[in-house]
Amino acid sequence: MLARCFVASLVAPVVSAANAIPVSRELAGQSLVSSNAGNPPCAALEAAGLRDRLLVPTDAAYEPQINTWWAANTRLRPWCLVLPQTVDEVSLILKTLSNAGEGAGDWHIAIRSGSHSTTGGNNIVNGVAIDLSHMNSTEYDEASSLARVYTGARWESVYSHLAGVNRSVVGGRDGTVGVGGFLLGGGYSFYSPKLGFGCDSVVNYEVVLGNGTIVQANESAHSDLYRALKGGHSNFGLVTRFDMATIPARNLWYELRYLANNYSSVVADVAADFANHDESLGDNALVTWVSFNSTISPVTTASTIYVNVEGNPHVETSYDAIRRLPSLLSESVSLPLTQAAAASGSGEGTWSTGSSGTYKNNPAILRNTIRVHEDLARNLTSAIGVDSFSTFFFMQPLPSYMGSIGKQRGGNVLGLDSLRDNAIIWTAGVSVSSNEADFALARALLQEASAQIQAFAASEDGVVDFIYLNYAGAEQDPLGSYGAEQVEFMRDVAARYDPAGVFQRRVPGGFKISRVV
Ligand SMILES: Cc1cc2nc3c(=O)[nH]c(=O)nc-3n(C[C@H](O)[C@H](O)[C@H](O)COP(=O)(O)OP(=O)(O)OC[C@H]3O[C@@H](n4cnc5c(N)ncnc54)[C@H](O)[C@@H]3O)c2cc1C
Ligand SMILES: *[C@@H]1O[C@H](CO)[C@@H](O)[C@H](O)[C@H]1NC(C)=O
Ligand SMILES: *[C@@H]1O[C@H](CO)[C@@H](O)[C@H](O)[C@H]1NC(C)=O
Ligand SMILES: *[C@@H]1O[C@H](CO)[C@@H](O)[C@H](O)[C@H]1NC(C)=O
Ligand SMILES: *[C@@H]1O[C@H](CO)[C@@H](O)[C@H](O)[C@H]1NC(C)=O
Ligand SMILES: *[C@@H]1O[C@H](CO)[C@@H](O)[C@H](O)[C@H]1NC(C)=O
Ligand SMILES: *[C@@H]1O[C@H](CO)[C@@H](O)[C@H](O)[C@H]1NC(C)=O
Ligand SMILES: *[C@@H]1O[C@H](CO)[C@@H](O)[C@H](O)[C@H]1NC(C)=O
């Protein structure tokens, strides 16, 4: 059995799954005119017949629904939430909101799937949040062996549904992460060294355009939109459904280890060796990280998750060096992906922020990163107190062959075709449990740490021009990092499918192609 407390999240600390609260129906049919007076978008949605799908602040279910957003800093209170259940309702919502004009000058729209992003895109104060969490089913089509995965589903439920027919997909590692945001930003999975990013497994997108038109985007229809959606985020339309190629469900061989921090540099060296594996070892995945959380340990720890996706414990890899070290905690199990995802949760309800960079696979850069993490943990301790925060610095392989996997599977916009060197994606997560003022200090310290890591990598000629969108901080420019050619392509596609700029101006959150310089 996998003890829950042993399991680390893949971006921040450990908690249980969020249970979305269903929309209260008691108020259905009652007039909202009073609470929506002076509130054109919510009044327009009600007038369009969507009262059943709305939650306004006076509804009993409103506040509990806000608390299903993952990070405290995204638990904003919009004028209303609208929770569609079908693609036709999404279409009606977008048409209605477009025709409600620009409001009295200042209201906008946010889109939420699993709500795990922390960059401010998934909620809004002045306006409407389209909460897709009720569009959360998964269907399996035996004839095509495709999974139809709805955007509001969480990966644990996707795996659990598909396990019933012995199939699986390339998706998230933590069970509560949402489908929509994960796949629109790429999607790094235990299967990525073998099958690429999650988006590389999507064969068709069902998309609602800014004017409410529903289109299917795939290799033969709207193929430009199809490619742009593979990494291009929320710039072209609202995706309601992802049709994904499936793979056989097999138990994973899964090893988790926590090590004393005097082994951090060994862990860094193993991460670097692992990122040099060639594609023939693609069944093997490694996540390494250093972290600090005073509840878990008074000093920083170094940790690893090693997975063999074929369930084989006997493959020789660079990870063997870690097996020989004494560990503080360790677990080695064969288990289904559903169970691994269910046990891996994270710091839900904390103020959370992140940052990311990609560096050439150079152990000196990794060791420096670990040194900066020690400084960050120490500085956070003196700034906000040892019990108020937790930190994670992840180091994950980005082998140079990842670009060619994407290309073989229909092409994406991540711009990795030209990646010549094996690389490591560095990802930081900082969670603050005390208050918003401490969070502001923590953000500033993380930016300082990020700048130091970048500067050291630059001094080693080790900066790779790729910022992984799903891990990027709000101030970073992941779309721009895909390269000029991809940026121009995404701009063209956005102009073609969203000529009115709904997803640039009315849905301002997330990373926007119009803001790339
Ligand atoms: C605990 C934790 C673990 C994680 N593990 C991994 C991991 O293993 N691998 C990995 O690659 N990433 C991981 N991430 C990062 C994760 O991929 C991103 O946070 C991603 O944005 C989450 O998707 P979501 O649907 O939950 O988020 P949301 O916040 O709901 O959405 C993210 C963004 O996409 C937009 N969006 C969402 N759905 C749609 C849609 N249908 N149409 C248009 N726009 C939409 C939103 O407006 C928002 O800007 C992890 C994050 C956390 C917090
Ligand atoms: C879908 O969401 C509803 C409402 O939050 C929830 O009750 C249900 O369990 C979810 N279904 C799945 C498959 O996760
Ligand atoms: C799933 O596959 C395994 C082995 O491949 C097999 O033993 C099992 O019977 C299958 N289960 C179902 C529900 O098809
Ligand atoms: C691609 O889209 C077209 C047009 O809607 C549709 O007929 C076809 O079935 C789609 N292909 C896939 C693989 O979904
Ligand atoms: C590392 O620390 C652990 C526990 O604190 C200790 O047992 C071990 O001997 C140390 N190893 C080295 C190489 O310093
Ligand atoms: C530290 O870890 C504990 C135990 O997993 C968790 O409850 C707590 O939220 C974490 N602290 C922070 C600030 O994330
Ligand atoms: C931590 O604080 C020290 C002393 O003020 C400073 O030199 C260092 O740059 C800081 N590092 C980080 C990562 O904040
Ligand atoms: C909606 O926008 C698309 C893309 O610009 C366009 O092809 C389509 O005709 C528009 N539909 C309507 C009803 O205006």
Side-chain angles (χ1 to χ4, degrees):
M1 231 199 48
L2 199 73
R4 191 169 268 269
C5 63
F6 286 5
V7 179
S9 133
L10 293 158
V11 146
V14 189
V15 184
S16 62
N19 284 316
I21 309 293
V23 177
S24 144
R25 295 304 191 82
E26 294 98 72
L27 291 175
Q30 282 183 25
S31 172
L32 268 181
V33 171
S34 54
S35 43
N36 283 329
N39 179 343
C42 304
L45 291 169
E46 187 188 0
L50 289 161
R51 177 54 183 115
D52 267 17
R53 305 291 182 254
L54 283 181
L55 281 178
V56 297
T58 49
D59 289 340
Y62 176 91
E63 197 60 26
Q65 187 63 20
I66 298 298
N67 288 324
T68 65
W69 260 258
W70 183 75
N73 39 308
T74 61
R75 293 179 178 179
L76 311 178
R77 284 155 187 82
W79 295 348
C80 59
L81 300 173
V82 58
L83 296 101
Q85 298 185 359
T86 65
V87 62
D88 291 326
E89 288 179 3
V90 172
S91 166
L92 177 60
I93 288 165
L94 285 176
K95 269 188 228 157
T96 304
L97 293 176
S98 304
N99 294 333
E102 310 273 314
D106 206 17
W107 61 267
H108 293 96
I109 303 163
I111 299 171
R112 171 257 169 109
S113 284
S115 84
H116 276 58
S117 68
T118 56
T119 50
N122 65 18
N123 207 346
I124 193 153
V125 174
N126 292 315
V128 179
I130 304 175
D131 180 341
L132 298 162
S133 58
H134 287 189
M135 292 184 71
N136 62 351
S137 56
T138 302
E139 296 156 5
Y140 179 66
D141 179 52
E142 183 100 50
S144 60
S145 62
L146 295 180
R148 299 197 185 102
V149 186
Y150 286 82
T151 186
R154 311 300 186 110
W155 288 108
E156 181 189 346
S157 81
V158 175
Y159 300 143
S160 142
H161 184 89
L162 294 174
V165 289
N166 250 350
R167 305 298 292 176
S168 195
V169 284
V170 178
R173 294 168 291 196
D174 281 12
T176 64
V177 171
V179 165
F182 178 93
L183 288 177
L184 289 172
Y188 199 107
S189 156
F190 288 130
Y191 287 92
S192 290
K194 183 191 177 96
L195 298 169
F197 287 91
C199 65
D200 296 323
S201 286
V202 178
V203 302
N204 180 63
Y205 296 85
E206 180 181 80
V207 190
V208 183
L209 303 180
N211 62 7
T213 297
I214 301 166
V215 302
Q216 307 295 321
N218 55 57
E219 212 146 32
S220 43
H222 305 297
S223 59
D224 48 357
L225 179 58
Y226 172 66
R227 185 163 79 81
L229 285 167
K230 294 183 170 194
H233 200 49
S234 61
N235 282 285
F236 319 102
L238 189 158
V239 178
T240 46
R241 199 188 76 217
F242 300 81
D243 298 343
M244 300 184 75
T246 60
I247 50 180
R250 299 214 201 291
N251 275 9
L252 307 177
W253 178 254
Y254 186 104
E255 294 188 31
L256 170 73
R257 284 184 166 76
Y258 274 65
L259 305 159
N261 65 4
N262 54 359
Y263 295 114
S264 296
S265 59
V266 185
V267 168
D269 290 350
V270 168
D273 287 346
F274 211 92
N276 286 333
H277 281 174
D278 69 36
E279 208 170 342
S280 66
L281 284 171
D283 286 339
N284 304 282
L286 180 69
V287 188
T288 55
W289 73 100
V290 288
S291 58
F292 179 78
N293 175 330
S294 66
T295 314
I296 291 170
S297 161
V299 292
T300 56
T301 50
S303 312
T304 56
I305 291 175
Y306 162 78
V307 164
N308 179 284
V309 295
E310 291 293 316
N312 186 347
H314 302 300
V315 182
E316 274 181 41
T317 70
S318 315
Y319 180 70
D320 292 343
I322 301 280
R323 287 177 168 143
R324 291 191 287 266
L325 300 177
S327 51
L328 302 172
L329 289 172
S330 77
E331 283 284 318
S332 299
V333 286
S334 163
L335 84 182
L337 182 55
T338 315
Q339 212 174 309
S344 190
S346 81
E348 193 200 326
T350 56
W351 284 271
S352 293
T353 186
S355 186
S356 188
T358 305
Y359 304 111
K360 283 184 196 166
N361 185 17
N362 169 351
I365 295 177
L366 297 183
R367 288 183 192 192
N368 178 67
T369 300
I370 288 166
R371 195 186 54 69
V372 173
H373 178 259
E374 295 291 329
D375 291 351
L376 175 66
R378 197 175 319 110
N379 293 0
L380 279 166
T381 298
S382 38
I384 68 175
V386 72
D387 295 329
S388 299
F389 71 94
S390 62
T391 58
F392 288 82
F393 275 19
F394 288 91
M395 295 162 283
Q396 303 188 69
L398 184 68
S400 59
Y401 67 74
M402 285 280 279
S404 67
I405 297 183
K407 206 167 186 177
Q408 282 156 29
R409 310 190 103 214
N412 58 41
V413 288
L414 300 174
L416 294 173
D417 296 4
S418 54
L419 185 64
R420 257 179 298 274
D421 304 287
N422 293 328
I424 298 269
I425 298 177
W426 163 73
T427 303
V430 173
S431 291
V432 170
S433 55
S434 48
N435 59 53
E436 216 163 348
D438 284 352
F439 182 52
L441 291 171
R443 288 178 78 140
L445 285 171
L446 177 58
Q447 289 201 15
E448 170 61 23
S450 184
Q452 288 180 11
I453 288 167
Q454 185 78 11
F456 182 86
S459 75
E460 293 271 318
D461 187 26
V463 176
V464 174
D465 253 341
F466 176 66
I467 297 171
Y468 178 41
L469 188 145
N470 283 347
Y471 292 148
E475 70 294 343
Q476 295 188 285
D477 178 18
L479 295 172
S481 80
Y482 298 173
E485 198 184 317
Q486 307 300 333
V487 167
E488 195 185 325
F489 174 72
M490 289 186 283
R491 276 196 219 285
D492 285 350
V493 175
R496 208 167 304 142
Y497 289 93
D498 183 23
V502 171
F503 288 91
Q504 303 304 315
R505 294 182 301 109
R506 305 301 290 138
V507 185
F511 298 101
K512 295 287 133 149
I513 196 68
S514 55
R515 296 203 289 259
V516 172
V517 282

Short mmCIF file of all heavy atoms in Angstrom, two decimals, residues 20-22 133-134 136-137 157, ligand 2:
data_model
loop_
_atom_site.label_atom_id
_atom_site.label_comp_id
_atom_site.label_asym_id
_atom_site.label_seq_id
_atom_site.Cartn_x
_atom_site.Cartn_y
_atom_site.Cartn_z
N ALA A 20 -16.07 18.91 -5.80
CA ALA A 20 -16.90 19.99 -6.31
C ALA A 20 -18.31 19.85 -5.73
O ALA A 20 -18.81 18.75 -5.57
CB ALA A 20 -16.95 19.93 -7.82
N ILE A 21 -18.92 20.95 -5.38
CA ILE A 21 -20.27 20.93 -4.83
C ILE A 21 -21.25 21.15 -5.98
O ILE A 21 -21.13 22.11 -6.72
CB ILE A 21 -20.46 22.07 -3.81
CG1 ILE A 21 -19.35 22.08 -2.76
CG2 ILE A 21 -21.85 22.01 -3.17
CD1 ILE A 21 -19.34 20.91 -1.83
N PRO A 22 -22.23 20.26 -6.15
CA PRO A 22 -23.17 20.45 -7.25
C PRO A 22 -23.98 21.73 -7.10
O PRO A 22 -24.22 22.19 -5.99
CB PRO A 22 -24.09 19.23 -7.17
CG PRO A 22 -23.56 18.36 -6.09
CD PRO A 22 -22.54 19.09 -5.33
N SER A 133 -16.38 22.62 -14.48
CA SER A 133 -16.15 21.41 -13.68
C SER A 133 -17.29 20.40 -13.73
O SER A 133 -17.10 19.25 -13.32
CB SER A 133 -15.79 21.76 -12.24
OG SER A 133 -16.81 22.52 -11.65
N HIS A 134 -18.45 20.81 -14.24
CA HIS A 134 -19.53 19.81 -14.39
C HIS A 134 -19.46 19.07 -15.74
O HIS A 134 -20.21 18.13 -15.96
CB HIS A 134 -20.89 20.47 -14.21
CG HIS A 134 -21.17 20.82 -12.77
ND1 HIS A 134 -22.39 21.24 -12.34
CD2 HIS A 134 -20.37 20.80 -11.69
CE1 HIS A 134 -22.33 21.47 -11.03
NE2 HIS A 134 -21.11 21.21 -10.62
N ASN A 136 -17.43 16.84 -16.87
CA ASN A 136 -16.31 16.05 -16.34
C ASN A 136 -16.40 14.56 -16.65
O ASN A 136 -15.79 13.76 -15.96
CB ASN A 136 -16.20 16.28 -14.82
CG ASN A 136 -17.45 15.81 -14.08
OD1 ASN A 136 -18.45 15.48 -14.71
ND2 ASN A 136 -17.38 15.80 -12.76
N SER A 137 -17.13 14.19 -17.70
CA SER A 137 -17.20 12.75 -17.96
C SER A 137 -16.11 12.29 -18.91
O SER A 137 -15.41 13.08 -19.55
CB SER A 137 -18.59 12.37 -18.48
OG SER A 137 -18.88 13.12 -19.62
N SER A 157 -10.28 10.58 -12.24
CA SER A 157 -11.55 10.02 -12.72
C SER A 157 -11.41 9.50 -14.16
O SER A 157 -12.04 8.52 -14.53
CB SER A 157 -12.67 11.06 -12.60
OG SER A 157 -12.65 11.96 -13.68
C1 LIG B 2 -18.47 15.32 -11.92
O1 LIG B 2 -18.79 16.47 -11.16
C2 LIG B 2 -19.92 16.29 -10.31
C3 LIG B 2 -20.24 17.65 -9.70
O2 LIG B 2 -19.14 18.19 -9.07
C4 LIG B 2 -19.59 15.22 -9.27
O3 LIG B 2 -20.68 15.02 -8.42
C5 LIG B 2 -19.23 13.92 -9.99
O4 LIG B 2 -18.80 12.96 -9.06
C6 LIG B 2 -18.11 14.17 -11.00
N1 LIG B 2 -17.93 12.97 -11.83
C7 LIG B 2 -16.74 12.44 -12.07
C8 LIG B 2 -16.72 11.29 -13.00
O5 LIG B 2 -15.71 12.87 -11.56
#
